[in-house]
Amino acid sequence: MTGQKEDPEGSRFLTELGSLLDPAGLLTGADVRVRGVGWASLGSCQAMAIARPANTEEVVAILEICRRHVVSVVPLGGGTGLVEGAVAAEHELLLSLERMRSEPQIDPMTRTAVVDAGVTLEQLQNAADAHNLVFPLDLGARGSATIGGNIATNAGGNRVIRFGMMREMVLGLEVVLADGTLLSSLNRMLKNNAGYDLKQLFIGSEGTLGVITRACLRLREKWRSQNAALLSLTSFDNVLKLLKFTDARLGGSLSAFEAMWGGFYDTVTAPHNGIPAPLDRGQPYYVLIEALGGDSPGDRERFETLLAEIYDSGVLQDAAVAESLIQTMSFWQIRDAVEKLLELGPMIMFDVSLPISAMEEYVAGVRERLAARWPDHRCIVWGHLGDSNLHLWITVHSSDPGDRAQVEEIVYAPLHEVGGSISAEHGIGLEKRAYLSLTRTDPEISLMRLLKQTLDPEGILNPGKVIY
């Protein structure tokens, strides 16, 4: 005797799932435990099992079975999330769409793509590129983040200032509801004003209202020029002047404005990391700007003229201009090398949004309060400043939950006063749920609960995430 209680209902549930799926479609035991459900979380999965459907019909059947047995379902994308949005308890089923990644269906004329939820962002980017088109969403986890996860979290990334967040790229969705109902609305048109835009309910809902299985996405014509520069500046006021000047002078072609506080740049370009520093280290601020256009020689001339004018204005301390695609990628390598920050200690990762005019005072206040409690703390700041989005990675050299709670309060509480958000692009999950009222009003949260109750009355879809 093992001393464990028998679970005949759970056994019947798994038997029924096993009869539906092929051998690769259902993982149990050790095959579950080695999996991760978030960035750098390998070996943390505690789910009862992992269902890996091969098509939408199997997703429908799985949810029908789960509803009958009242088993909760936690949808999983590429496992790159940072807010505990795909954590499943031992009595819950993890639903991974990783096998649903057939080749995207590209229509060059309408510039659309119909894509399975399990397709990775990089796979879609490559498929679009083969037709001389682009899917402009881009982020560091492009090789593993999935389209379904990008939609469910309304992903942002590096080029929001030009192309918007994931929400702006979704034309239509196919979604399976909690009771197994298939909602198929794969609209391919840019303009469709016929009634409620139901897809918006599921974009950014983190799998709490339905399981996204396919999407029709908007593609763009491939740009013919890509110009980038890495700049150093001595004051945040100059950073703001640079943003306003470049956005105005580049005539809508500014695609990225990535700000890095000096601590970020100095850390990732430290000699032992093997990432070259194109500019001298030790400056307060660094900015990576990128412009995408359709006139290669003309765009280059305008870009260089712009930089010369900015330099003459006294806004810049120094500048490095990319002379090739390889140099452009080396600039982006600096911005994307966030894993180098983990060497500083156990990191608490934050993704917030606030008016850019309030950022300098906000960051200074956070650092002051951290220093009062933990003099040896490190607070590394960078982000998509042109999109009002900052990332703060903080270590107080402690893994104590109480210390973490104090750090969260220091970071989140001031956002309410300036009309900021506790999440710019990563979502809420479990991690930020307790702070949602700092960002959303009581009537808003009540309506969220009403939507959840209406679409998922049994509460089986990703329970406990986003809202209580």
Side-chain angles (χ1 to χ4, degrees), residues 83-96:
V83 295
E84 299 182 9
V87 173
E90 60 184 9
H91 60 279
E92 296 174 334
L93 178 72
L94 200 63
L95 178 61
S96 171

Side-chain angles (χ1 to χ4, degrees), residues 12 48 55 79 101 119 174 188 246 398 453 461:
R12 285 194 292 269
M48 173 201 308
N55 51 54
R101 54 178 57 172
V119 166
E174 177 184 86
R188 295 172 181 262
T246 54
S398 168
Q453 183 179 3
L461 284 179

Side-chain angles (χ1 to χ4, degrees), residues 5 20 61 90 113 127 214 223 226 269 342 379 414 426 437 442:
K5 292 180 63 177
L20 167 70
E90 60 184 9
R214 284 197 300 168
W223 41 79
Q226 182 176 11
T269 61
L342 298 176
C379 177
H426 291 168
S437 61
D442 288 344

Side-chain angles (χ1 to χ4, degrees), residues 213-225:
T213 51
R214 284 197 300 168
C216 183
L217 304 173
R218 182 184 183 186
L219 304 178
R220 304 296 182 102
E221 294 294 337
K222 189 175 182 179
W223 41 79
R224 298 180 180 180
S225 70

Side-chain angles (χ1 to χ4, degrees), residues 6-24:
E6 293 186 9
D7 182 13
E9 182 60 28
S11 297
R12 285 194 292 269
F13 169 71
L14 291 178
T15 298
E16 193 168 347
L17 275 184
S19 65
L20 167 70
L21 302 170
D22 62 44

Side-chain angles (χ1 to χ4, degrees), residues 170-213:
V170 178
L171 297 175
L173 288 180
E174 177 184 86
V175 181
V176 181
L177 303 183
D179 62 357
T181 297
L182 178 62
L183 181 66
S184 186
S185 181
L186 291 172
N187 168 69
R188 295 172 181 262
M189 297 170 290
L190 286 177
K191 301 177 76 172
N192 184 350
N193 207 18
Y196 303 141
D197 191 0
L198 297 178
K199 69 176 183 290
Q200 300 296 346
L201 290 175
F202 305 100
I203 302 172
S205 68
E206 302 183 45
T208 62
L209 301 180
V211 177
I212 296 165
T213 51

Side-chain angles (χ1 to χ4, degrees), residues 125 134-139 142 156-165 169 223 226 254-258 290-292 325 328-329 332 384 387 425:
Q125 289 173 335
V134 293
F135 184 67
L137 182 78
D138 193 41
L139 37 88
R142 63 188 68 84
N158 300 329
R159 294 180 174 133
V160 172
I161 194 172
R162 171 79 177 273
F163 299 103
M165 296 181 70
M169 306 178 200
W223 41 79
Q226 182 176 11
L254 180 66
S255 58
F257 191 94
E258 300 291 298
E290 178 192 72
L292 303 172
L325 180 59
T328 296
M329 294 303 100
W332 277 108
H384 319 292
D387 317 326
E425 58 182 353

